[in-house]
Amino acid sequence: MTSRTPLSPLPFSPGTGPAIIVPILAPTPAEAADRARAAAAAAGVDVLEWRIDEHVAGGLLDAGVREAAGTPEVDGSAELRTAYDEIAAPGVPVLVTVRSQTEGGHCPDDRYAEAVEAAIALRPAAVDVEMGREEAGRLLAAASDAGVSTVVSAHAWEATPTAQELDAAFAVMAGSGADVVKIAVTPQSTADVLTLLGATARAAESLDVPVIGIAMGELGRVSRLCGGEFGSAATFATVGEGSAPGQMTAEQVAVVRSYLPR
């Protein structure tokens, strides 16, 4: 891979082994902050991924919703900022992700761009941008202008695309201007897992951005443990509740990572 270093402080660089990203999901921002502190204290954790789509769906960015519910009207952006500051306080880089309903998350599709813009305004280490969104180009540019790294993502929830389709998707996403490219697939067989790992290896070798390739579910667990051997720059693991099927604990992944060459 011809290296183009992503905007700091994402710890994705060739030769260092896959970074361990721990998703933070919670019904309230206060609970998210508690879980973030616990995750940040766990050994081997490199990045926290704060999933805010459930908070957006619950009306965090909509003061009118809270007022109608009889709760004090608080600026949703200010509440988001307060929670983010607590989550970022331990000093572990934070990736803020808004997962739309189309991509398996909670955020209504018509609120997606607004929510990502709110995430960018926090100035985290990075934000996730779904490649399939009509607004992806604008959001990637907005993050770049703000000095925020971007992880452009795509998910195949029903199956695994062909090797040719994955190669093409990695290439298109790498050309989007994002700092990191992530593709997650759903394997139906071990052959599908090999297809994902092969495409990840080719992308890592040929593209000028770090790539993340994940096969989800029980069949795909090996990709979370050994994806770094195929060029994947990061893997997702849990401290407490996870965000996708097949995730293993950060402790398990860190142990395996320690035995593999870098």
Side-chain angles (χ1 to χ4, degrees):
M1 180 180 81
T2 56
S3 177
R4 186 185 91 188
T5 303
L7 298 174
S8 63
L10 285 179
F12 304 158
S13 57
T16 62
I20 296 176
I21 304 173
V22 172
I24 304 299
L25 297 93
T28 68
E31 290 177 76
D34 289 340
R35 294 182 185 182
R37 281 189 288 271
V45 176
D46 299 301
V47 179
L48 302 178
E49 181 195 34
W50 185 24
R51 282 278 301 272
I52 68 170
D53 43 289
E54 187 171 357
H55 308 316
V56 174
L60 178 62
L61 299 182
D62 188 347
V65 171
R66 292 191 300 280
E67 185 177 20
T71 57
E73 183 170 341
V74 178
D75 183 347
S77 296
E79 191 175 350
L80 193 69
R81 163 58 64 185
T82 298
Y84 172 76
D85 288 345
E86 292 186 22
I87 288 168
V92 178
V94 178
L95 162 67
V96 180
T97 294
V98 180
R99 190 63 67 228
S100 71
Q101 290 175 339
T102 295
E103 290 277 338
H106 298 280
C107 182
D109 288 355
D110 61 357
R111 302 294 299 273
Y112 178 79
E114 172 194 0
V116 174
E117 288 166 350
I120 293 170
L122 298 172
R123 299 296 194 274
V127 296
D128 180 288
V129 176
E130 295 173 355
M131 187 64 184
R133 303 297 307 182
E134 179 180 325
E135 315 93 329
R138 175 172 64 81
L139 294 172
L140 288 167
S144 179
D145 290 344
V148 176
S149 290
T150 48
V151 178
V152 67
S153 64
H155 298 76
W157 290 102
E158 301 298 327
T160 298
T162 66
Q164 293 77 13
E165 289 169 337
L166 287 170
D167 289 345
F170 271 123
V172 169
M173 293 167 73
S176 69
D179 296 289
V180 181
V181 172
K182 170 195 166 188
I183 293 181
V185 305
T186 303
Q188 302 299 326
S189 66
T190 54
D192 285 344
V193 179
L194 291 174
T195 295
L196 179 279
L197 291 173
T200 302
R202 290 189 296 276
E205 180 67 27
S206 63
L207 302 177
D208 65 352
V209 296
V211 301
I212 301 172
I214 298 169
M216 297 183 286
E218 293 299 315
L219 274 173
R221 285 164 71 95
V222 66
S223 72
R224 298 183 182 278
L225 288 172
C226 303
E229 301 303 290
F230 296 84
S232 189
T235 187
F236 290 75
T238 65
V239 175
E241 185 177 354
S243 62
Q247 287 178 352
M248 305 181 72
T249 69
E251 181 180 12
Q252 291 170 323
V253 175
V255 168
V256 172
R257 183 177 66 175
S258 71
Y259 284 104
L260 296 175
R262 300 190 177 188

